Amino acid sequence: MKKSRAVIALILTAVITGLMAYTALVGIGDGHRGSYHNIKLGLDLAGGASITYEAVGDEAPSAEDMADTVYKLQQRVDQYSTEAQVYTEGNDRINIEIPGISGVEETNKILEELGRPGSLYFIRQTDASGNDNYTLGMDADGNYGYVLTKDLDQIIADGDVVLQGTDVLEAKAGYQSDNMNNQEIVVSLTFTDEGKQKFADATTKAYAAGETIGIYYDGKFISVPRVQAAITDGRAVITGESTIEEAESLASNIRIGGLKVELQRLRSQIVGAQLGQDAIRTSKTAGILGFALVAVLMCAVYWLPGLCATLALCIYILIVAIILNAFDVTLTLPGIAGILLSIGMAVDANVIIFARIREEIRDGKTVRMAMKSGFDKALSAIIDGNVTTLIAAAVLAFLGSGTIKGFAYTLAIGIVVSMFTALFVTRLLMNIFYALGAQDEKLYGKAKDSKIIDFTGKRKIVFAISGIVIIVGLAGMAFNASSGKGALNYSLDFVGGTSTNVTFNEDMSLDEINQKVIPVITEVTGDTNPQVQKVAGSSEVIFKTQELDETKSTALAVALQDQFGVDKDNITSETISSTISSEMKTAAFNAVIVALVLMLIYIWLRFKDARFGASSVICLAHDCLVVLAAYALIRISVGSTFIACMLTIVGYSINATIVVFDRVRENLAIRKSGTSLETVVNTSVSQTLSRSIFTSLTTFFMVLALYIFGVASVKEFALPLMVGIIAGCWSSVCIAGPLWHLLRVKTGSADDLKSTGNGGNSGSGNSGNGGSSKKNDMSGLSKKERKLQRQKEAEERNKAKITV
């Protein structure tokens, strides 16, 4: 790059960055579009709408029907936010909490959409007068398809809704043979006894008139099948879907379209943030200090490249803020975890590049050539590490639900942006500074020869240490379970508890409540981390604690009356269910398993060795078990952030392991004859050691700042994350390479077993020689001496083959 072009590039970069900063901080237009102030926040950070429904009818609904209704409502409210929560209150009430809703108008709109007991309708094509109830046309979104010709309420009043979603017993996608004995995709429907008769009457009339029956769900037609026969047995099939995925989607919409329990609204209100402004303020402070510390470390260790990386990270933050706003992603504490992870990975990508540049300068290349070669050599490790994590994010977004989706979205956004800033923005800035005169290699640093550490020789000690930690954790879980405490300290999110509504005599801020009231509640109930929500426009506060028996519930009411003068009639308590349903747990588990399998396959294909993938998955299992041990032994509360914490560790650890394996793969490709496999592994791990430690430190410091400055709930999130970062660094450095070596030796060829006899010795090495022994360097020998040396090596190889 010429100096004049560098100046122009620098000016353009500064202008674009300035525009992004203005957009992220101030926004565009009257609505301040793009500003971080407009980012949607979850219930824990900003509050939202709380709606309570009560089941109606002469008989109380069964627990199974209530659970089914909760699940179906959860599917519906996901359209407003992936962070919405649905749970039961008492035996016949259902609470829905939707973040980001701050006004009565928005709440009423949601009530209108959710309030009907079933929003799936089977609509007759024509009314009694022969007029169309629906026809082909453009909908409100500009899409061409079937649209209603009259208001839905009018269609219902006219009796042209022949069935509702509650009349459908089962809907599933599959295949059946047609008249030509070919397999066709269908959606099979089974109706209830009442629905069977309704459907028989409707299809008889429709078949006689040659009409269709439109299936209308949540404001649009999802299918308009033509009736080809009168169906009287209560079973029907819908054909015409082009793929099995479309059929699955249709079947899913039909299944969740009808609620088994008829509901009526009991109350709706706007509730405040669960964490409070104090928690949000301290978290911001922690984030700023953590980022500042990372910036100082980058500049102190990597000098000019570190400065470029810091500037690129600033641009990264601006881009992420704008994207979160543009795509209406709801940001919660788990979402912040995804961003923290992607920041760590952005730092990691830069560290890998800078380490490569220093190695190239050490090997005698000019700064310009070292920069080009460094970026090129680091590319495969960066892509493989980020793609494996991106695979996990994509699977979690597709198969997960609730907070899992929110975590996946923020993680995926962060990964893509971090790769862009590391590979393009940092490179651009470094080329600009170089062209402007920063060409002295002292500004970039020069790598020293790596001291080769015998990681493979010490694997038994390493494996034993990890095994002991995991066994102690599992033993702790077993002891806690046998003593009645529960294997883990499950919070409200997993096991439910008690919701206590209290109307105080005077309005208190959430921070005042946390300082004055929470200590009283903790002392009476024993719950160290109760959830708090203020009801907007009133002095009413909702406290959610672990389940309270009658004695504790009474004691809490008395304490609130004595210490705060609350009228006993203004204190009500109800048992509430977990906000993480069994379906959500199953979805999360399935998503993690699928993600692990796909990551294993990707690593297998990229490294052409399944043992790399197997070693990576074993390391991930190790890290998760170590974090689980911390949860068990320290009795950290296991809530919704538990899943996000585990997923964060998985994404972080796999990236670190890939970097090590990438160097192993590279050194294997340039391995000289006679160099032992353990030498290659030890050299590779030693060459990436500084990167592993430095990246772990930068990420650790970010989370440590959250732990130091955060409130109780933030601390309970940050502590296991710190344990996971340490475990991830340990497994990537000490376990991954030696474990792969062990698997390779146990399942490899005779060539893998060859040893030069110094595989475990320490010494100097670099990426140019793959850590090979000096015995193999014959550059200083005469022709006769080289011949004798080759004969000796051949004899040693033959002995090794005979031994095998």
Side-chain angles (χ1 to χ4, degrees), residues 122-128 133 150 154-162:
F122 290 72
I123 301 175
R124 184 181 291 116
Q125 182 177 342
T126 58
D127 59 21
N133 287 314
K150 58 186 76 172
Q154 183 62 48
I155 293 174
I156 295 173
D158 291 343
D160 290 330
V161 170
V162 293

Side-chain angles (χ1 to χ4, degrees), residues 409-442:
Y409 292 154
T410 53
L411 177 58
I413 291 170
I415 290 172
V416 173
V417 176
S418 69
M419 286 184 66
F420 169 75
T421 53
L423 295 175
F424 295 100
V425 177
T426 301
R427 188 169 194 166
L428 174 64
L429 291 172
M430 290 181 66
N431 285 330
I432 289 174
F433 282 117
Y434 181 87
L436 293 177
Q439 300 177 2
D440 192 334
E441 69 176 33
K442 292 180 181 179

Side-chain angles (χ1 to χ4, degrees), residues 532-596:
V532 187
Q533 288 178 307
K534 273 186 94 287
V535 177
S538 72
S539 59
E540 183 181 356
V541 183
I542 304 170
F543 298 98
K544 298 175 184 176
T545 61
Q546 62 189 21
E547 190 169 351
L548 306 179
D549 56 25
E550 189 174 343
T551 302
K552 284 188 176 181
S553 185
T554 302
L556 177 60
V558 170
L560 292 171
Q561 293 172 51
D562 292 344
Q563 300 198 34
F564 301 101
V566 180
D567 191 315
K568 65 178 182 179
D569 293 332
N570 290 332
I571 304 174
T572 59
S573 296
E574 285 284 356
T575 301
I576 58 175
S577 69
S578 62
T579 56
I580 299 178
S581 65
S582 58
E583 289 84 3
M584 291 175 66
K585 295 175 189 174
T586 302
F589 178 79
N590 292 339
V592 171
I593 295 300
V594 172
L596 289 176

Side-chain angles (χ1 to χ4, degrees), residues 51-57 61-62 65-74 76-77 86-89 91-96 111 113-118 166 258-267:
I51 304 166
T52 303
Y53 286 98
E54 187 174 41
V56 297
S62 67
D65 284 349
M66 288 292 286
D68 182 71
T69 303
V70 165
Y71 175 65
K72 289 177 177 178
L73 281 173
Q74 181 72 59
R76 287 201 205 172
V77 297
V86 183
Y87 55 92
T88 60
E89 178 183 290
N91 297 322
D92 60 353
R93 294 179 184 176
I94 294 178
N95 269 357
I96 300 175
L111 286 169
E113 296 174 353
L114 293 177
R116 290 174 178 155
T166 49
L259 302 180
K260 288 188 176 180
V261 178
E262 186 176 349
L263 302 172
Q264 68 177 12
R265 178 165 60 93
L266 186 64
R267 60 175 178 268

Side-chain angles (χ1 to χ4, degrees), residues 198-209 213 227 229-232:
K198 290 180 182 178
F199 196 64
D201 295 339
T203 54
T204 299
K205 293 179 182 178
Y207 178 62
I213 293 179
V227 178
I231 302 172
T232 59

Side-chain angles (χ1 to χ4, degrees), residues 686-708:
S686 299
Q687 288 171 339
T688 56
L689 181 61
S690 60
R691 167 263 151 211
S692 299
I693 294 175
F694 185 78
T695 301
S696 297
L697 279 176
T698 54
T699 312
F700 184 87
F701 286 143
M702 289 287 292
V703 181
L704 178 63
L706 280 177
Y707 181 80
I708 293 174

